[in-house]
Amino acid sequence: MDDITVDLERAKAVDAPLATALRRLIDAAIMTNVDEEASRAARSLVEDAADLLERQRLSGNSFGLRHTTTGAPAVWGNVAIGLRNPIAPPLTIARDECGRVSTRFELGSAYEGPPGCVHGGVCALIMDHVLAATAHEPGSPAVTGTLTIRFLRPTRLGSLTAEAWRARQVGDKTFAAGNIADEQGVTVEAEGVFIHIREERGK
Amino acid sequence: MDDITVDLERAKAVDAPLATALRRLIDAAIMTNVDEEASRAARSLVEDAADLLERQRLSGNSFGLRHTTTGAPAVWGNVAIGLRNPIAPPLTIARDECGRVSTRFELGSAYEGPPGCVHGGVCALIMDHVLAATAHEPGSPAVTGTLTIRFLRPTRLGSLTAEAWRARQVGDKTFAAGNIADEQGVTVEAEGVFIHIREERGK
């Protein structure tokens, strides 16, 4: 794995603002109504930015699991929570003293499926990540075994919450449940089985 | 809904190349190892590009379902298949004469979960979209009722395929099944129930 400075202060000052700017640009590219000339000029700026960032690029196709200068895990490429990944909303997951996890997030034009609504698959992605978060423990991450999702009604684009909890633990398996809700209540429910692995597996 | 020229030739010439350039830039932002000064310069270009595209922007947070000058549906913001959406790999779905659907796609750094592997939730997103594609019919799109996913082994980032078929049809419900595979075979299996809706619902 290539060497890279993994410093949280620098990441917050430099990498996270770049990802935030890119989230705005992704929305702008979907929702723009400018003429061809302006669109081509924007593309030229995008290519210049990519050229600049690729002057020094990690090899391969994985940012992977790294550790910060203080030893904390840094999965900054992660598509759900990675602070370097513009696709990640990103989710910021809170955990209460009972192990229940929750997150508030905003989904805009970039996450659309049916008109005006969050793509069902994006709801599935969020449920997978949030339910799995109930199972993760330091040194013992968990991978999804099975995931079942029920779509109760369309989830409108906008401000949303998700929560999950452990239903039970059987050996190395965590059975978790959770949901996504908008201001009118629950839109999606999910159950999943998550399997604990040694840190080495899946690298 | 704001008026916008929805012309496939223009979209292929202008919008799709912008989304392609943005996919490269998303990867570059995750994998870059340049110094702070270069990263800040890239962010400045990103902000200039967003300013340019936002000079004329559709209102709200939905590109929605539009129709091209030839009458074809244009869900160009869709997170799985939208040609304007840089988050979409994008999936290009083929359909054989028996209604079986399939797609080949490449997932890189932007779709990572466990190190080196596709996020389980991204696999769920792809399964949702591909299984639903077996149910869609002109004038009668389908929404996901339930979706169950079994993760057989990690899905490595790289070249992948997905396929799905109708298992059975009961009234307005399509029962579909499918999988994701890499070069070594199937990594993820899924089953889902998809419910046909009138075109107006969900808008």
Side-chain angles (χ1 to χ4, degrees):
Chain A
M1 194 182 265
D2 299 314
D3 198 29
I4 182 173
T5 303
V6 183
D7 176 79
L8 188 57
E9 292 311 312
R10 185 207 133 133
K12 283 183 182 169
V14 180
D15 301 338
L18 174 59
T20 300
L22 270 166
R23 286 183 196 107
R24 176 182 158 220
L25 179 54
I26 290 168
D27 172 83
I30 295 167
M31 299 295 286
T32 192
N33 200 5
V34 297
D35 62 21
E36 290 193 28
E37 189 185 342
S39 179
R40 286 180 205 277
R43 171 156 45 114
S44 178
L45 292 168
V46 166
E47 284 166 352
D48 290 348
D51 288 344
L52 201 49
L53 294 172
E54 286 178 352
R55 279 189 199 162
Q56 276 196 281
R57 184 189 179 282
L58 302 173
S59 59
N61 59 4
S62 159
F63 185 87
L65 170 64
R66 296 169 188 271
H67 290 88
T68 68
T69 43
T70 62
V75 289
W76 293 345
N78 188 286
V79 65
I81 59 170
L83 69 76
R84 276 179 169 240
N85 192 332
I87 297 183
L91 301 182
T92 304
I93 293 178
R95 190 180 309 265
D96 74 11
E97 63 277 12
C98 305
R100 194 176 185 100
V101 300
S102 61
T103 179
R104 280 180 181 279
F105 52 99
E106 180 89 20
L107 297 182
S109 66
Y111 305 93
E112 191 172 34
C117 299
V118 181
H119 193 293
V122 171
C123 294
L125 163 57
I126 287 164
M127 285 284 83
D128 179 63
H129 198 92
V130 175
L131 268 65
T134 68
H136 291 306
E137 285 166 8
S140 177
V143 294
T144 315
T146 62
L147 183 68
T148 300
I149 301 161
R150 281 179 300 280
F151 297 86
L152 308 183
R153 61 181 172 85
T155 303
R156 303 290 303 182
L157 293 169
S159 294
L160 299 164
T161 59
E163 58 172 358
W165 56 91
R166 284 189 186 197
R168 61 189 196 277
Q169 183 75 31
V170 180
D172 65 352
K173 289 180 182 167
T174 299
F175 292 75
N179 59 57
I180 296 174
D182 61 18
E183 285 173 7
Q184 278 72 51
V186 172
T187 60
V188 174
E189 293 177 335
E191 291 168 14
V193 183
F194 299 87
I195 303 161
H196 289 269
I197 54 173
R198 292 169 183 273
E199 279 277 22
E200 290 72 24
R201 184 174 150 191
K203 278 193 183 173
Chain B
M1 194 181 262
D2 298 315
D3 197 31
I4 181 174
T5 304
V6 183
D7 176 78
L8 188 57
E9 292 311 310
R10 187 207 132 135
K12 283 184 181 169
V14 180
D15 301 338
L18 174 60
T20 301
L22 269 167
R23 288 183 193 106
R24 178 183 157 219
L25 180 55
I26 290 168
D27 172 84
I30 295 168
M31 299 296 284
T32 192
N33 200 4
V34 296
D35 61 22
E36 290 192 28
E37 190 185 341
S39 178
R40 286 181 205 277
R43 172 158 44 114
S44 177
L45 292 167
V46 166
E47 284 165 352
D48 290 348
D51 288 344
L52 201 49
L53 294 172
E54 285 177 353
R55 278 189 202 163
Q56 278 196 278
R57 185 189 179 282
L58 302 173
S59 60
N61 60 4
S62 159
F63 185 86
L65 168 65
R66 294 168 189 271
H67 291 89
T68 68
T69 43
T70 63
V75 287
W76 294 345
N78 187 286
V79 66
I81 58 170
L83 69 74
R84 275 179 169 238
N85 192 332
I87 298 184
L91 301 182
T92 304
I93 294 180
R95 190 180 309 266
D96 74 12
E97 64 278 13
C98 304
R100 194 177 185 99
V101 301
S102 61
T103 178
R104 282 181 179 277
F105 52 99
E106 180 89 20
L107 296 182
S109 66
Y111 304 93
E112 190 171 33
C117 298
V118 181
H119 194 292
V122 171
C123 294
L125 164 58
I126 287 164
M127 286 284 82
D128 178 63
H129 198 91
V130 175
L131 268 65
T134 68
H136 290 308
E137 285 166 9
S140 177
V143 295
T144 315
T146 62
L147 183 69
T148 300
I149 301 162
R150 283 179 299 280
F151 297 86
L152 308 182
R153 62 182 171 82
T155 303
R156 304 289 303 180
L157 292 168
S159 295
L160 299 165
T161 59
E163 57 172 359
W165 56 91
R166 283 189 188 199
R168 62 186 194 280
Q169 183 75 30
V170 181
D172 65 352
K173 290 181 182 167
T174 299
F175 292 75
N179 59 56
I180 296 174
D182 62 16
E183 286 174 5
Q184 279 72 53
V186 173
T187 60
V188 174
E189 291 177 337
E191 291 167 14
V193 183
F194 299 87
I195 303 161
H196 289 269
I197 53 172
R198 291 169 185 272
E199 280 277 23
E200 289 72 23
R201 183 175 149 189
K203 277 192 186 174

